Amino acid sequence: MQSTLYYTPSISHHFPLPWKCPKNLTSGSHKFSSKILTLANTIRTQITYELDGGLNEGPAPSNPAQLPIEIRRYGKVTRYFWDGNRVLLHSVDGGGGAAASFFFNFDKVVEVSSLAVRNFFIPKQVSENYMGYVKWKFLHRVFSSALQVLATQAMFRAIGIGYSRSLPSAAALNWVLKDGLGRLSRCIYTASLASTFDTNLKGVRFSTSLLFTLSIGVELLTPIFPQHFLLLASLANIAKQMSLACYIATSSAIHRSFAIADNLAEVSAKSQIQSVCFDNLGLMLAAALNMLLKNNQRLQTGLPFILYPFFSIIDLFGIYQGLKHVHLQTLTKDRLEIILDTWIAMGYVPSPEEVSKEENINFLWRKGKEPWRIRMGGLNPKGQLPKLSMSAMQSVRNEDYYFICMEIFYRGLPRTREQGILLCLREGARTADVIMGLLQACYVRKALHSSRLESMMKASDSSDFILKEWFKLIEDSRQYVQREFLPLNEQMAALGWAIKNILLNADEQARYSYIDD
């Protein structure tokens, strides 16, 4: 678009230009470097701004003066010029001019096109790991969308087989019933796992994605068992609704981890564009496969069962790898535990990227499988070590906001007896108290691994010697926390960790009240 700025002065004075023009440029019989800028000293200056349909891509006039302003946009560089009467805007990156009509700059076209595509799909200010996440998201959405198309075809085929002698309204009723059951299950699931969406975001996201993939497999079975269409379709839709609930609940946290300039809305909008485009590619893939086999009805019917295992593996692999590129800065009990273990062992605070690599995408039923696990919550009367638990509670002081004791629990099918560390928090405990308590518990765990007290504790807790050694360890760990907490807190804040709040699930939020009798 050519932009021309006119002005017509009535009474004028002469002022020299504050910039210099090229020496080889001339204007008529006199040099342009001696041209005088005429400025009006009255308010009767007429200014006109013309838009004549596009940027002047032709060569600049023979006598322009370059103004010290240029514009860079979409890989194109343009600059303002003054020809004595008008301000002109011309391309100066070699992309315009008459030569462009004879020569085709392929590299320039590719550069401009790729930049336009990037601006269409990618937000302007995001973290470096965002591109890796989008690449794996592309793989996941394309094959997931293709699977959904094949599953929908299978369900339509099942309705046609199972209800060939029934009224169409009967098939519609079954479809509505399975949708209604799915939405009801979605509400129940969301209400029961609301806090887990924050505390175990990656684990819940991957678990429900696996559930979604299995639901597609159930839908593919409906043509084989058309008489059980309602049962199979309802089970599949329940799993899909649960997965959808998790996807919606966790998407904002994932998008926030990429938005480095508080541009959460832009990141969310671009994510929707990506999903629509990637899903359409998956739809085109499924349609192309169907068109290739349209003359072979038998092979077309068996195609979903052939493709399902391969597409499912690619889909889940893309989800898993994509979650590895999500570096969350919020603190949960598990993330804080990784940070504190690293601080105790190495003396530094790991970055969100380092914690993300070490953070396991645990399933809900696999959490807490590590030896000497640390649990936050209330004391379980069935899993207590009587003397240690009683002594720990008796030693609590009025100024304490937490206490640490041992507990026993059973895991595995053989019900193996294990010991763990329990951190009990008091009502009114602040975020700093939670960090200090977990730091002390991690120190105690490391000390138990490296001392003979571990084997003695597993044997019995009844001797006075064990009680004495345990409280000595507690006192040493308390002094360690008082010494290390401030530098730890400063490093965590410097690395961008959100230390103002710690996300805890319902069990971890249990608190005790101190009663001074």
Side-chain angles (χ1 to χ4, degrees), residues 62-109:
S62 60
N63 56 348
Q66 295 184 3
L67 301 179
I69 302 295
E70 70 177 16
I71 305 296
R72 295 178 180 268
R73 189 178 185 187
Y74 301 129
K76 194 178 190 67
V77 181
T78 54
R79 187 163 182 175
Y80 288 100
F81 292 83
W82 171 256
D83 70 348
N85 296 314
R86 301 179 301 175
V87 174
L88 306 174
L89 186 61
H90 292 280
S91 174
V92 295
D93 59 351
S101 60
F102 299 101
F103 299 99
F104 182 74
N105 192 338
F106 180 76
D107 293 338
K108 190 66 178 178
V109 171

Side-chain angles (χ1 to χ4, degrees), residues 7 9-16 36-42 45 82:
Y7 69 92
S10 58
I11 303 175
S12 62
H13 291 286
H14 298 291
F15 298 94
I36 304 300
L37 176 64
T38 306
L39 299 177
N41 63 351
T42 71
T45 300
W82 171 256

Side-chain angles (χ1 to χ4, degrees), residues 90-342:
H90 292 280
S91 174
V92 295
D93 59 351
S101 60
F102 299 101
F103 299 99
F104 182 74
N105 192 338
F106 180 76
D107 293 338
K108 190 66 178 178
V109 171
V110 172
E111 179 185 354
V112 173
S113 300
S114 61
L115 188 59
V117 172
R118 178 185 173 89
N119 290 333
F120 181 76
F121 282 100
I122 308 300
K124 294 188 181 300
Q125 292 180 300
V126 288
S127 56
E128 296 178 357
N129 51 308
Y130 184 75
M131 288 303 300
Y133 171 78
V134 172
K135 292 175 183 177
W136 290 112
K137 179 183 178 180
F138 168 78
L139 192 69
H140 146 59
R141 299 292 303 201
V142 168
F143 286 93
S144 177
S145 178
L147 277 177
Q148 292 181 63
V149 172
L150 297 176
T152 303
Q153 290 177 341
M155 294 179 70
F156 285 149
R157 194 178 300 115
I159 290 179
I161 295 174
Y163 297 96
S164 58
R165 297 182 180 179
S166 303
L167 293 173
S169 59
L173 177 61
N174 279 271
W175 199 277
V176 171
L177 284 174
K178 65 100 178 173
D179 282 349
L181 292 173
R183 291 172 183 174
L184 177 61
S185 301
R186 174 182 173 181
C187 293
I188 298 173
Y189 169 78
T190 305
S192 60
L193 289 180
S195 62
T196 311
F197 292 137
D198 287 318
T199 57
N200 189 26
L201 184 149
K202 294 184 180 182
V204 175
R205 181 72 171 260
F206 187 76
S207 300
T208 53
S209 298
L210 177 61
L211 198 62
F212 184 88
T213 305
L214 293 176
S215 70
I216 294 178
V218 174
E219 289 178 344
L220 294 177
L221 295 176
T222 53
I224 302 177
F225 306 100
Q227 65 276 16
H228 301 299
F229 173 83
L230 180 59
L231 175 62
L232 295 176
S234 297
L235 290 175
N237 199 55
I238 288 172
K240 280 189 172 183
Q241 291 293 331
M242 293 168 61
S243 179
L244 177 62
C246 175
Y247 178 82
I248 295 175
T250 57
S251 291
S252 59
I254 292 177
H255 295 159
R256 189 181 297 109
S257 70
F258 296 123
I260 60 176
D262 292 333
N263 54 335
L264 178 60
E266 181 192 12
V267 175
S268 301
K270 297 291 186 180
S271 177
Q272 295 181 45
I273 295 174
Q274 295 163 11
S275 298
V276 170
C277 294
F278 298 163
D279 288 349
N280 285 338
L281 290 176
L283 189 150
M284 293 170 60
L285 174 62
L289 291 173
N290 281 311
M291 291 179 63
L292 290 174
L293 302 175
K294 63 180 180 180
N295 296 326
N296 192 332
Q297 190 65 29
R298 185 175 181 180
L299 186 57
Q300 189 179 30
T301 304
L303 179 66
F305 301 99
I306 299 173
L307 297 179
Y308 175 73
F310 300 103
F311 281 19
S312 297
I313 292 174
I314 297 174
D315 176 26
L316 293 174
F317 184 72
I319 296 172
Y320 185 87
Q321 292 296 329
L323 290 174
K324 286 292 186 181
H325 287 81
V326 177
H327 307 328
L328 299 171
Q329 296 177 330
T330 53
L331 288 177
T332 64
K333 183 258 182 184
D334 294 334
R335 271 181 226 124
L336 183 56
E337 202 171 328
I338 294 173
I339 295 172
L340 299 180
D341 284 337
T342 305

Side-chain angles (χ1 to χ4, degrees), residues 365-396:
W365 57 87
R366 292 188 57 194
K367 290 189 67 177
K369 298 294 184 181
E370 66 278 0
W372 284 103
R373 72 170 188 183
I374 299 175
R375 185 176 70 87
M376 296 175 60
L379 181 65
N380 181 11
K382 296 182 179 179
Q384 62 175 298
L385 295 170
K387 284 192 175 182
L388 278 177
S389 301
M390 181 268 297
S391 301
M393 285 188 282
Q394 284 184 337
S395 63
V396 173

